[in-house]
Amino acid sequence: MAALRGPARRLLPGALAGLGLPPRRYRYKEKWAGTAPKISAIRLALQNFDMNYSVQFGSLWPSIRVSLLSEQKYGALVNNFSHADRVSRELELLNAVDFVYESQKAARHIQWDSPVERVRGEETAPQETHSEQLSVEQTQTSSLLSTSISPNIKCYTFSKGDVSRFPPARPDALGTLGYYLLDAASLLPVLALNVQPGDLVLDLCAAPGGKTLALLQTGCCRHLAANDISASRSNRLRRVLCSYIPKDISTDVRITSWDGRNWGELEGDTYNRVLVDVPCTTDRHSVMEEDNNVFSRMRLKERQMLPMLQMRLLLAGLLAARPGGEVVYSTCSLSQLQNEYVVERAVEVAETEYNVSVHVEDLSYFRSLFQDTFSFFADCRLGELVLPHLTANFGPTYFCKLRREE
């Protein structure tokens, strides 16, 4: 073969065929990948969000996207079971402000400054001016604030545009920590729950414990049931409460690891207030961390089933509430499929399958009360949604309040 020259070389394939040998058509074999190329969970999350949220939020999405990928802002929830006054003074020295108190103060200022509504005769009632209408709306808003949010919660944040960080909390002489660092927007569902003295309260998906701790700060829970289906997360919840709550108070808390979807059957028609902070795509975590990322390929089916799981958990919360009781549903996702659509479906199923009527409450006053701290989405059909924004990089947090009809 090596001795072939000239024309004989050009006839090599035919010559090989004549010798009974297969022609050599390719210098290299074609190879096909046995598996799909590896794409990180973070990249998959961003691809999913770009495809869906660019449609949902339009021109707002680029700003939200940048904020999700930027450092998150935190708030310091003051522990009322520690030296709360001393802790508050220390936080104020850092130029942080209690956003709940500041909102209450602003609402009271509106109420004091607004004119008293005049009693008008039927024949001589003048046309109400726009400024008077605005004053009446502001007065209604301030009165709603005083009667419709959970009391005694103090949370310090830095002002918009200030990216300062809080130092880690220090224990007092008894080993109790002075404050708990969390996304301040995650307190809004607890404030919306409007816990009142003597209430029986259920936190259906309680771990890791920030909202449970906030509920205890109100001092209003006659009994608090804190549940999470994961035993390891329930243990984490126990550790959080041990670091912040005295033993005599922790006896009023029952921690369980039951399947929350069955709570309506276990303790139906029982609770005055129910918080349903469901598992979700945890959008900020999904674009920042590979560990425990729901967009991992191995968790595809789990992610696809999230809306069904969320609906069943909310339905269980509605059934666990007594008639006249209030339920707050919340997520840390921007997705309509996990937010408004879940609420609509749960309300429909409660009425058609369980003959339970549910009223979705208006929380639009939260937007005006806390606009100096958070950036709200103006076009939310049900409930309220806090959008991440570079000047106020909290959230995302969605929350919706429902009342079970008597």
Side-chain angles (χ1 to χ4, degrees):
M1 298 265 302
L4 290 174
R5 297 287 187 273
R9 189 175 183 180
R10 291 194 293 272
L11 297 173
L12 179 60
L16 288 174
L19 293 173
L21 298 174
R24 187 174 180 181
R25 296 177 182 272
Y26 303 104
R27 189 176 295 273
Y28 302 104
K29 290 182 180 178
E30 281 193 56
K31 291 187 177 179
W32 296 88
T35 58
K38 289 185 178 179
I39 302 177
S40 69
I42 288 176
R43 186 176 169 189
L44 283 173
L46 281 171
Q47 288 176 351
N48 181 286
F49 295 165
D50 284 336
M51 182 173 60
N52 292 292
Y53 294 159
S54 60
V55 175
Q56 181 178 338
F57 296 104
S59 61
L60 292 175
W61 171 237
S63 170
I64 299 171
R65 190 184 197 273
V66 169
S67 303
L68 281 175
L69 294 169
S70 302
E71 185 176 352
Q72 183 178 14
K73 229 176 156 177
Y74 284 89
L77 172 66
V78 175
N79 184 12
N80 292 328
F81 302 105
S82 179
H83 299 290
D85 291 338
R86 177 179 59 80
V87 171
S88 296
R89 286 195 298 270
E90 291 175 356
L91 292 172
E92 287 166 3
L93 288 174
L94 299 174
N95 292 323
V97 295
D98 179 359
F99 82 87
V100 181
Y101 172 75
E102 291 299 321
S103 299
Q104 289 175 316
K105 186 169 70 172
R108 284 193 294 267
H109 180 73
I110 290 171
Q111 193 170 20
W112 292 335
D113 289 352
S114 60
V116 178
E117 190 174 4
R118 300 177 183 85
V119 179
R120 304 180 178 96
E122 292 183 1
E123 296 180 0
T124 60
Q127 184 70 28
E128 197 174 45
T129 66
H130 173 72
S131 60
E132 288 175 326
Q133 290 175 344
L134 185 60
S135 296
V136 170
E137 289 174 3
Q138 290 173 333
T139 304
Q140 291 172 345
T141 297
S142 62
S143 62
L144 275 171
L145 174 64
S146 61
T147 59
S148 299
I149 69 169
S150 300
N152 305 323
I153 292 177
K154 304 172 186 174
C155 183
Y156 282 80
T157 59
F158 294 107
S159 59
K160 279 189 175 182
D162 187 342
V163 293
S164 302
R165 296 183 184 182
F166 289 102
R170 294 176 300 174
D172 60 17
L174 299 176
T176 305
L177 294 173
Y179 56 84
Y180 182 87
L181 295 179
L182 77 176
D183 183 337
S186 66
L187 283 180
L188 296 178
V190 179
L191 291 170
L193 195 58
N194 187 27
V195 181
Q196 296 298 307
D199 278 349
L200 294 174
V201 182
L202 168 63
D203 189 352
L204 195 58
C205 309
K211 294 182 178 67
T212 307
L213 185 60
L215 287 168
L216 290 170
Q217 300 305 314
T218 65
C220 294
C221 302
R222 176 157 50 103
H223 178 76
L224 174 61
N227 179 72
D228 199 281
I229 192 172
S230 167
S232 61
R233 286 169 59 86
S234 295
N235 288 333
R236 182 181 174 187
L237 170 63
R238 286 188 180 91
R239 290 194 296 271
V240 168
L241 295 185
C242 284
S243 300
Y244 288 89
I245 305 299
K247 288 185 179 179
D248 58 330
I249 300 296
S250 60
T251 56
D252 296 329
V253 183
R254 174 169 54 112
I255 300 177
T256 56
S257 296
W258 299 341
D259 188 339
R261 292 171 291 186
N262 301 325
W263 210 280
E265 302 167 12
L266 297 169
E267 293 182 336
D269 304 338
T270 301
Y271 294 92
N272 305 99
R273 300 288 187 270
V274 180
L275 178 62
V276 188
D277 183 43
V278 295
C280 64
T281 49
T282 54
D283 291 0
R284 188 182 287 273
H285 176 87
S286 293
V287 299
M288 296 293 283
E289 301 285 345
E290 283 291 328
D291 185 46
N292 196 29
N293 194 315
V294 76
F295 282 87
S296 163
R297 287 189 180 276
M298 294 184 295
R299 300 178 68 180
L300 174 62
K301 287 195 174 180
E302 177 189 346
R303 189 171 76 248
Q304 291 173 336
M305 293 301 293
L306 272 176
M308 176 59 72
L309 171 64
Q310 292 160 342
M311 190 278 292
R312 291 190 62 187
L313 285 168
L314 176 54
L315 182 62
L318 291 169
L319 297 177
R322 61 179 56 177
E326 296 178 351
V327 178
V328 170
Y329 172 81
S330 66
T331 75
C332 48
S333 172
L334 296 162
S335 170
Q336 284 181 313
L337 288 175
Q338 300 175 65
N339 296 339
E340 295 103 307
Y341 293 161
V342 167
V343 172
E344 289 175 332
R345 180 60 179 157
V347 170
E348 179 185 349
V349 172
E351 188 159 358
T352 57
E353 296 187 15
Y354 295 92
N355 198 30
V356 171
S357 297
V358 178
H359 179 260
V360 178
E361 300 282 300
D362 179 19
L363 292 176
S364 59
Y365 62 94
F366 265 67
R367 228 178 295 162
S368 57
L369 289 170
F370 300 114
Q371 62 184 349
D372 291 338
T373 306
F374 306 106
S375 176
F376 287 89
F377 182 46
D379 297 327
C380 210
R381 291 186 296 108
L382 296 173
E384 294 297 328
L385 176 63
V386 174
L387 299 177
H389 192 278
L390 284 177
T391 62
N393 207 1
F394 301 105
T397 296
Y398 172 80
F399 58 106
C400 183
K401 185 172 182 178
L402 307 98
R403 179 168 46 81
R404 181 170 166 176
E405 302 284 5
E406 298 190 40

